[in-house]
Amino acid sequence: MLDKLTAVANRYEELCFKSDQPDFYADPKKAAALLREKNDLEPIVETFHAYNAALQEMADAQELMSDPEMKEFCQQTFVSAKASSEELYRQLQILLLPKDPNDEKSVIVEIRGGVGGEESALFAHSLFRMYSMYAAQKGWSIELMNYNETELGGVKEADFVINGRGAYSRMKYESGVHRVQRVPETESGGRVHTSTATVAVLPEMEEVDVQIDPSDIEMQVYRASGAGGQHVNKTSSAVRLIHKPSGIVVACQEERSQLQNREKCMRMLASKLYEIEQEKLNSEVTGMRRSQVGTGMRNERIRTYNFPQGRVTDHRVGLTLYKIDAIMDGALDEIIDALATADQAEKLKNAQ
């Protein structure tokens, strides 16, 4: 690992030298790529320098331990520097893990009501609100693509983009079946019901990232609709695209023009086709989206939201938090941090 770190440090110094040259920005595209590489390497190099400094501190303290007057102080310094070096070494192991190339991308999120009828649609709306509030806390923006409401304010389906650097690195852990246990607004007897909603998270791809043959696409237009007559247009501005080779169907009705809705649909389609291509490359038995959302049955849950007990449990890492109100208001970082840490630990285990 030390050889690899030395190579990274040398490459970083090379990039620093290049970026200081007068003609560095002569090729803006190349310059941007080199600056991205430099920024990616910077935290590794800084941690490596701190690690070397801790090792040097240990060596200096050990050398001075032979002095009786300095022994106690040097022992304390040695222990402290050793602890720092071990922690920095662990950080370096994580920093050197291969990065998901999509981590810095924005994401397309799909929420669907699952088991539980109207209550599942109401829970899907709660999830949409939770993610909207989380995005706001992160300084990200929400861009609606397709939003199909029920008469009682639930959501049959919600497709939206979360625009923000690094959104995928956090939101990718939200894919799966979410289960809720609560007394529905439609329940007069006060009984606790169990319902589910499914969430799928895809890295947003541009059309240029995926080759799409225009002849493979069938476009349908229709009038946008919503509960109680909301979002109803007098013109057929809503767009549905069918990718004939794969059977993928995407729709968007949130913009006022066909052109805008079609552009959003193409972004969704590009992301879904990229997902299929990744599935082939990774030789996975099932597609990413299917593994993410399953069938919506209760026993496929990744997380349970129990309102009577005020708790949220993520079953993948066995984490239970008794702060359901804060979490439903977007306080997801504690859960996502635990999932990211577990993911890193698994990758470290496989890398050894």
Side-chain angles (χ1 to χ4, degrees):
M1 190 177 87
L2 293 179
D3 289 341
K4 189 173 183 179
L5 286 166
T6 301
V8 168
N10 291 338
R11 175 59 176 167
Y12 178 75
E13 293 300 324
E14 179 187 347
L15 292 170
C16 287
F17 175 78
K18 286 184 177 180
S19 64
D20 288 337
Q21 302 308 302
D23 61 346
F24 180 70
Y25 291 99
D27 184 341
K29 190 173 181 180
K30 182 180 178 181
L34 291 175
L35 285 174
R36 278 196 301 271
E37 183 184 358
K38 178 175 172 284
N39 291 335
D40 287 343
L41 296 181
E42 188 169 3
I44 302 175
V45 173
E46 288 180 350
T47 306
F48 185 39
H49 287 163
Y51 173 72
N52 285 332
L55 292 181
Q56 185 61 52
E57 192 174 8
M58 287 171 59
D60 292 343
Q62 198 164 23
E63 187 177 341
L64 293 171
M65 276 185 199
S66 57
D67 186 338
E69 294 183 2
M70 297 286 290
K71 185 174 182 179
E72 185 177 350
F73 172 76
C74 288
Q75 283 178 334
Q76 292 175 355
T77 301
F78 180 86
V79 170
S80 176
K82 187 174 186 294
S84 295
S85 69
E86 290 172 351
E87 172 58 24
L88 289 165
Y89 186 83
R90 188 189 69 82
Q91 290 178 24
L92 286 169
Q93 286 181 304
I94 293 172
L95 286 168
L96 286 176
L97 288 173
K99 286 189 175 181
D100 186 329
N102 296 315
D103 271 352
E104 293 302 303
K105 291 183 181 290
S106 297
V107 296
I108 292 176
V109 182
E110 301 176 338
I111 302 176
R112 300 286 184 271
V115 174
E118 183 63 37
E119 169 59 9
S120 72
L122 291 169
F123 178 48
H125 175 270
S126 297
L127 291 177
F128 174 73
R129 175 182 177 274
M130 178 179 75
Y131 293 135
S132 297
M133 297 183 76
Y134 181 62
Q137 292 171 20
K138 292 292 184 183
W140 302 333
S141 63
I142 294 284
E143 181 185 353
L144 268 183
M145 304 186 86
N146 189 38
Y147 192 83
N148 191 349
E149 296 176 290
T150 66
E151 293 290 341
L152 297 180
V155 175
K156 292 180 182 177
E157 54 186 23
D159 302 329
F160 55 99
V161 179
I162 298 181
N163 291 301
R165 184 176 179 184
Y168 185 70
S169 69
R170 306 292 289 172
M171 287 297 299
K172 63 184 177 183
Y173 298 109
E174 293 304 297
S175 296
V177 177
H178 296 244
R179 181 176 74 166
V180 64
Q181 295 171 326
R182 65 184 177 185
V183 179
E185 297 175 20
T186 54
E187 170 59 53
S188 59
R191 292 176 299 171
V192 175
H193 286 223
T194 297
S195 304
T196 66
T198 63
V199 177
V201 179
L202 307 173
E204 187 188 20
M205 296 291 161
E206 300 293 336
E207 288 182 60
V208 294
D209 296 325
V210 181
Q211 295 297 321
I212 302 176
D213 187 342
S215 64
D216 288 339
I217 298 174
E218 178 186 338
M219 177 173 163
Q220 299 176 350
V221 295
Y222 58 99
R223 293 185 181 182
S225 62
Q230 296 177 13
H231 309 301
V232 176
N233 291 337
K234 294 181 180 179
T235 59
S236 298
S237 61
V239 171
R240 182 185 296 111
L241 297 183
I242 302 170
H243 186 252
K244 290 180 282 189
S246 64
I248 292 173
V249 179
V250 293
C252 183
Q253 62 176 17
E254 296 305 314
E255 301 296 338
R256 293 186 178 274
S257 75
Q258 279 186 22
L259 187 63
Q260 290 173 312
N261 282 324
R262 186 185 185 281
E263 188 272 333
K264 285 189 173 184
C265 278
M266 288 300 292
R267 286 158 58 193
M268 290 178 68
L269 180 59
S271 295
K272 288 173 178 285
L273 290 174
Y274 172 83
E275 168 195 26
I276 290 174
E277 189 60 32
Q278 288 301 108
E279 171 191 338
K280 292 177 182 176
L281 292 173
N282 297 330
S283 300
E284 295 175 351
V285 176
T286 56
M288 182 195 301
R289 186 177 184 279
R290 184 174 298 173
S291 67
Q292 287 177 359
V293 303
T295 61
M297 298 305 290
R298 295 183 182 95
N299 61 353
E300 296 177 322
R301 66 192 182 279
I302 62 164
R303 190 178 299 154
T304 295
Y305 305 75
N306 187 299
F307 279 80
Q309 297 177 17
R311 65 174 170 83
V312 175
T313 298
D314 195 289
H315 304 288
R316 293 165 292 181
V317 288
L319 175 67
T320 295
L321 300 173
Y322 288 88
K323 48 175 78 173
I324 194 167
D325 290 339
I327 289 169
M328 298 310 295
D329 284 342
L332 288 169
D333 272 336
E334 189 171 352
I335 297 175
I336 292 175
D337 285 344
L339 290 164
T341 299
D343 187 29
Q344 290 170 346
E346 184 65 24
K347 288 177 180 175
L348 276 174
K349 180 180 176 183
N350 293 334
Q352 292 172 354

